[in-house]
Amino acid sequence: MFVLHKMATSPSSSLCSFSLFLSKPSSLPLLKPPLLSLHSPPLKRFISTASELQHDTQARRRTLLGSPYTKTSPLLSLSTAAIATESATVSHNDTAENEETEKLVLPTNDSSEKLLRIRHTCAHVMAMAVQKLYPEAKVTIGPWIENGFYYDFDMDPLTDKDLKRIKKEMDRIIGRNLPLAREDVSRDEAQRRIMAVNEPYKMEILESIKEDPITIYHIGDEWWDLCAGPHVESTGNINRKAVELESVAGAYWRGDEKKPMLQRIYGTAWENEDQLKAYLHFKEEAKRRDHRRLGQDLDLFSIQDEAGGGLVFWHPKGAVIRHIIEDSWKKTHIEHGYDLLYTPHVAKADLWKISGHLDFYRENMFDQMKIEDEQYQLRPMNCPYHILLYKRKLNSYRDFPIRVAELGTVYRYELSGSLHGLFRVRGFTQDDAHIFCLEDQIKDEIRGVLDLTEEILLQFGFRRYEVNLSTRPEKSVGDDDIWEKATSALRDALDDKGWSFQIDEGGGAFYGPKIDLKIEDALGRKWQCSTIQVDFNLPQRFDVTYVDSNTEKKRPIMIHRAVLGSLERFFGVLIEHYAGDFPLWLSPVQVRILPVTDTQLEYCKEVISKLKGNGIRAEVCQGERLPKLIRNAEKQKIPLMAVVGPKEAETQTVTIRSRFSGEVGTIEIDDFISRIKSAIERRTSL
């Protein structure tokens, strides 16, 4: 569907406790259907309302990285109807305000049953095409997914050339306009038919189906599969120009590495060709921003095979950005009344037995190590340590609230196949914090966390969120009264904050209700980062108490919360959000000095000394002709280039070139330093 928005032409990870005990988080956000700005269908040109992805490089630099506080509307919107119909009249900057745009809102499986039927049918058409071309191939399962469909086959490995053959056969099947018909059969009849075509995986699937009768879908009278639907009426209802096979990958049957390796073919399908073009453009832009490639190109981080998978090496430039993130995080937390902690990376295994990790989370923990006849464990969470520090003395009700925070490195066991850049690793640093408070303090403390969260995320340019409030599940601990109070406190804090949110009925953890916040990046993808969780479980397990006004021992409320989630993952999000083109204040190298000839090197050293003396990150680059030095600085996404020739050396000046605003001009060193410091303080470009 098309949703038109007009712009006037006149002058937007998991915490401690048990949040991950019962389900493993996915390594990547799903690439949800994007919201793309275009000038006229069919898509001839893609223009972001935030001007972030314009083909005009200078315009992109000015608008994308000029200020993290600039209001922006992302190129891609991730799913909800509210976002899809949101007004596009937000003022972004002088260049974007005057653009008249139309927005193509790509439907989702939830919003369009037609699209869901198309994708499900495409999976069957693809399986039929594969078995026509490769009769020995055995089919397994073929569901629709977020952006298309896939099907797993037991067959010889496929190549890109094979995918082209399969797509051509799919086009022929679609062109024949074959009807799709549902048939209900008995279990015995289904078993007989499966045995007749020698499909062992279908037999295993049949055994897992508990309902009768068994439903089968036919494509014409040539191919069938076990399926409950839904499907389109005939293959002719599919627009073959809106379907594309994307890739092939290996996948174990049932996800079990001990079972056969299958060939998984991924495809995407849309209602029309314009939607496919929009989606493919999104994919290309996501590829351009891939943090793994940019991390290598910009020398930010690496995963060293010699050290092991999922273990991050922060290179000097990446470490600079981490240092800035950590310093900002610490400063903000101290201002909000938190005490900072540092705790060990290992502990006796008994600690994790008390916390429940060994019972619920063992598969995500590394093996224990024996030290002097005692078992020790690398920590998977930080919360038990913070509880031990709380319990080091007897606390009074007068001491509350008690807020502690730590950038604590934790270790999680992950299979090598699930590791993915900075998004899924085996060792990472959580920005973890815990609040111990009284029941009547919950609302104020939650509101304080929301304020702190907004303050920190705004520093990095994130101002659009999806917020969910998860309530009590069927299986839980704690009395009804405290659940009601805690849930009401979370809801009231969100109302006070003025944030819209969705209720996830029964979606809370068994130990308490929670708020989850997903940030939206420049491509409109949403990333789970911030979470606030009320916990009734760990205070009970560790017998956490305080003395009330009647000198009686009571149990305090414990709140778990994280803002960034994981520094590694958040850094990966930052890289992709900015496409590696970090704003001036965050850039690892803010100024690169470029001498025209070696005779200016002495003066360049003086300039570098003054810049560094004022806390500005600068370096000199030489040994090439000036045009190449400039090109190299552009490739490395250096915000400011200071060209120094004979005239500049003589007049004690520099000629400035900005990635964000082009040529700045020739200015005196002191003026240059003053302007940089002002821009850094205001977090704008020069």
Side-chain angles (χ1 to χ4, degrees):
M1 62 177 174
F2 285 96
V3 176
L4 303 183
H5 294 300
K6 297 293 184 181
M7 296 184 68
T9 55
S10 60
S12 145
S13 182
S14 64
L15 259 185
C16 43
S17 193
F18 296 91
S19 58
L20 293 180
F21 287 0
L22 305 180
S23 62
K24 286 179 82 171
S26 60
S27 58
L28 290 172
L30 294 173
L31 298 183
K32 304 246 182 179
L35 168 66
L36 285 130
S37 169
L38 17 128
H39 278 255
S40 62
L43 282 73
K44 295 180 180 179
R45 186 181 178 198
F46 297 90
I47 305 292
S48 165
T49 57
S51 298
E52 294 187 18
L53 306 176
Q54 290 183 3
H55 298 295
D56 179 349
T57 304
Q58 292 296 337
R60 186 182 75 244
R61 292 169 189 155
R62 285 195 298 272
T63 58
L64 173 59
L65 299 175
S67 169
Y69 300 105
T70 302
K71 291 183 179 179
T72 62
S73 176
L75 175 67
L76 299 165
S77 177
L78 264 174
S79 66
T80 67
I83 295 177
T85 59
E86 188 172 306
S87 172
T89 57
V90 177
S91 173
H92 307 302
N93 49 67
D94 293 340
T95 62
E97 280 179 353
N98 298 327
E99 291 184 4
E100 180 175 341
T101 64
E102 294 176 351
K103 291 182 180 295
L104 172 61
V105 180
L106 293 186
T108 70
N109 293 331
D110 293 331
S111 69
S112 172
E113 184 176 345
K114 175 185 176 182
L115 180 61
L116 185 147
R117 289 175 179 269
I118 287 172
R119 288 173 171 171
H120 198 178
T121 306
C122 281
H124 283 223
V125 170
M126 180 176 71
M128 177 178 173
V130 167
Q131 291 199 306
K132 276 184 171 292
L133 296 172
Y134 308 94
E136 77 286 355
K138 304 298 181 184
V139 297
T140 61
I141 58 172
W144 68 83
I145 53 177
E146 199 69 36
N147 295 307
F149 57 93
Y150 73 79
Y151 222 112
D152 288 347
F153 303 92
D154 190 349
M155 61 186 301
D156 292 336
L158 295 167
T159 65
D160 290 341
K161 185 177 180 180
D162 295 321
L163 293 187
K164 293 179 181 178
R165 289 186 64 205
I166 295 168
K167 178 58 168 64
K168 287 182 180 180
E169 183 62 32
M170 289 179 66
D171 290 345
R172 282 192 285 269
I173 295 170
I174 292 170
R176 292 171 61 193
N177 196 24
L178 298 172
L180 279 95
R182 171 174 168 155
E183 180 186 11
D184 292 345
V185 301
S186 67
R187 187 172 295 272
D188 289 343
E189 175 61 16
Q191 185 174 354
R192 185 191 67 78
R193 294 188 188 185
I194 292 171
M195 293 177 66
V197 294
N198 188 27
E199 289 280 9
Y201 296 97
K202 283 188 183 181
M203 188 65 72
E204 189 172 333
I205 293 170
L206 176 64
E207 292 171 356
S208 67
I209 299 174
K210 304 303 180 184
E211 300 82 9
D212 288 316
I214 305 301
T215 59
I216 290 175
Y217 267 88
H218 298 263
I219 299 180
D221 57 0
E222 303 176 30
W223 192 88
W224 61 270
D225 198 2
L226 301 173
C227 185
H231 292 283
V232 297
E233 293 182 358
S234 69
T235 60
N237 293 128
I238 300 170
N239 183 341
R240 56 190 171 193
K241 292 185 178 180
V243 179
E244 182 166 299
L245 297 186
E246 298 184 282
S247 62
V248 61
Y252 291 110
W253 171 236
R254 300 293 194 187
D256 187 341
E257 60 185 350
K258 296 179 181 178
K259 293 184 177 180
M261 172 68 76
L262 308 175
Q263 295 294 295
R264 174 172 294 178
I265 303 176
Y266 285 100
T268 189
W270 300 90
E271 295 170 346
N272 55 58
E273 193 174 358
D274 285 348
Q275 292 177 3
L276 175 61
K277 288 180 179 178
Y279 168 72
L280 294 178
H281 178 79
F282 165 76
K283 277 189 61 181
E284 284 301 311
E285 185 57 31
K287 182 179 179 181
R288 184 180 76 84
R289 292 168 177 260
D290 191 312
H291 75 282
R292 294 166 298 178
R293 180 183 63 81
L294 289 171
Q296 180 177 349
D297 292 347
L298 301 178
D299 196 22
L300 300 173
F301 74 92
S302 64
I303 310 291
Q304 299 289 335
D305 290 339
E306 293 85 350
L311 303 173
V312 181
F313 285 72
W314 294 75
H315 298 186
K317 291 180 179 179
V320 166
I321 298 177
R322 173 167 176 161
H323 172 72
I324 296 169
I325 294 172
E326 289 185 349
D327 271 8
S328 176
W329 185 91
K330 291 175 182 177
K331 179 176 181 293
T332 304
H333 278 75
I334 291 172
E335 291 173 351
H336 282 255
Y338 286 79
D339 291 319
L340 302 184
L341 304 176
Y342 294 94
T343 58
H345 290 226
V346 296
K348 291 181 180 179
D350 287 346
L351 182 67
W352 309 109
K353 186 173 183 179
I354 297 172
S355 70
H357 288 81
L358 285 176
D359 294 329
F360 294 96
Y361 202 62
R362 186 187 296 269
E363 66 176 12
N364 292 96
M365 298 169 66
F366 283 98
D367 290 341
Q368 296 175 11
M369 61 190 84
K370 190 173 184 180
I371 302 176
E372 295 181 350
D373 296 327
E374 289 188 295
Q375 296 295 320
Y376 279 73
Q377 179 73 55
L378 281 171
R379 65 175 173 186
M381 305 285 189
N382 301 303
C383 47
Y385 289 164
H386 294 186
I387 291 174
L388 292 184
L389 284 173
Y390 171 89
K391 293 184 66 175
R392 74 188 187 279
K393 63 179 182 179
L394 185 63
N395 291 287
S396 164
Y397 70 97
R398 296 187 181 89
D399 299 324
F400 292 119
I402 297 173
R403 309 183 189 104
V404 294
E406 176 182 14
L407 293 170
T409 302
V410 298
Y411 302 90
R412 310 270 177 87
Y413 174 71
E414 301 283 357
L415 294 174
S416 58
S418 68
L419 300 175
H420 183 89
L422 297 175
F423 294 153
R424 194 69 173 265
V425 294
R426 288 173 172 158
F428 57 92
T429 301
Q430 285 184 317
D431 72 317
D432 218 349
H434 295 90
I435 300 171
F436 300 90
C437 65
L438 307 175
E439 287 184 20
D440 59 4
Q441 295 174 330
I442 298 176
K443 175 185 171 182
D444 290 340
E445 288 307 304
I446 297 299
R447 174 58 196 269
V449 172
L450 296 178
D451 290 341
L452 178 144
T453 298
E454 181 178 42
E455 181 178 341
I456 291 178
L457 293 179
L458 278 174
Q459 294 174 3
F460 299 98
F462 297 108
R463 62 188 312 116
R464 295 168 64 92
Y465 324 121
E466 177 187 297
V467 183
N468 292 282
L469 171 58
S470 302
T471 61
R472 186 173 190 171
E474 288 187 15
K475 295 182 178 180
S476 59
V477 298
D479 297 332
D480 293 343
D481 180 60
I482 189 59
W483 267 92
E484 184 177 343
K485 287 182 179 179
T487 304
S488 295
L490 294 176
R491 182 185 290 106
D492 292 345
L494 286 169
D495 288 338
D496 282 355
K497 186 64 179 171
W499 283 358
S500 61
F501 59 92
Q502 300 175 358
I503 299 292
D504 180 12
E505 293 289 352
F510 74 89
Y511 51 81
K514 61 178 181 174
I515 293 172
D516 288 323
L517 185 148
K518 298 177 182 178
I519 60 176
E520 188 173 298
D521 71 5
L523 287 186
R525 297 171 298 182
K526 291 180 181 176
W527 305 81
Q528 174 69 57
C529 287
S530 308
T531 184
I532 308 168
Q533 303 169 359
V534 180
D535 186 3
F536 312 134
N537 182 60
L538 286 187
Q540 181 178 349
R541 280 179 171 266
F542 281 93
D543 191 24
V544 177
T545 62
Y546 70 94
V547 177
D548 69 4
S549 58
N550 297 319
T551 67
E552 295 181 359
K553 284 191 175 183
K554 295 290 183 65
R555 208 172 300 288
I557 299 298
M558 183 177 183
I559 299 173
H560 308 265
R561 47 111 298 197
V563 177
L564 307 179
S566 150
L567 291 189
E568 285 76 7
R569 188 168 183 267
F570 184 73
F571 185 42
V573 173
L574 275 182
I575 294 171
E576 298 202 1
H577 177 64
Y578 288 117
D581 219 342
F582 297 106
L584 178 63
W585 73 275
L586 194 56
S587 181
V589 177
Q590 296 167 317
V591 182
R592 179 173 285 183
I593 310 298
L594 306 178
V596 176
T597 67
D598 288 349
T599 57
Q600 288 87 48
L601 280 178
E602 282 302 316
Y603 175 59
C604 289
K605 291 178 181 178
E606 294 178 21
V607 174
I608 284 288
S609 179
K610 288 186 177 181
L611 291 172
K612 289 185 175 181
N614 283 273
I616 298 168
R617 299 183 291 277
E619 63 184 18
V620 176
C621 193
Q622 63 183 99
E624 302 284 355
R625 293 174 61 86
L626 183 60
K628 187 169 183 180
L629 292 177
I630 293 174
R631 285 197 301 272
N632 290 341
E634 287 281 345
K635 288 181 180 179
Q636 288 296 305
K637 304 183 187 297
I638 307 297
L640 296 170
M641 288 164 273
V643 178
V644 174
K647 183 178 179 180
E648 287 81 6
E650 180 181 349
T651 58
Q652 298 288 289
T653 59
V654 286
T655 297
I656 305 304
R657 179 185 179 90
S658 170
R659 276 184 58 75
F660 313 130
S661 53
E663 300 295 339
V664 176
T666 301
I667 58 178
E668 295 181 352
I669 296 300
D670 290 342
D671 185 25
F672 181 41
I673 291 173
S674 177
R675 291 170 67 175
I676 293 176
K677 293 174 72 173
S678 176
I680 292 172
E681 183 178 352
R682 292 181 290 109
R683 297 193 173 177
T684 61
S685 61
L686 189 64

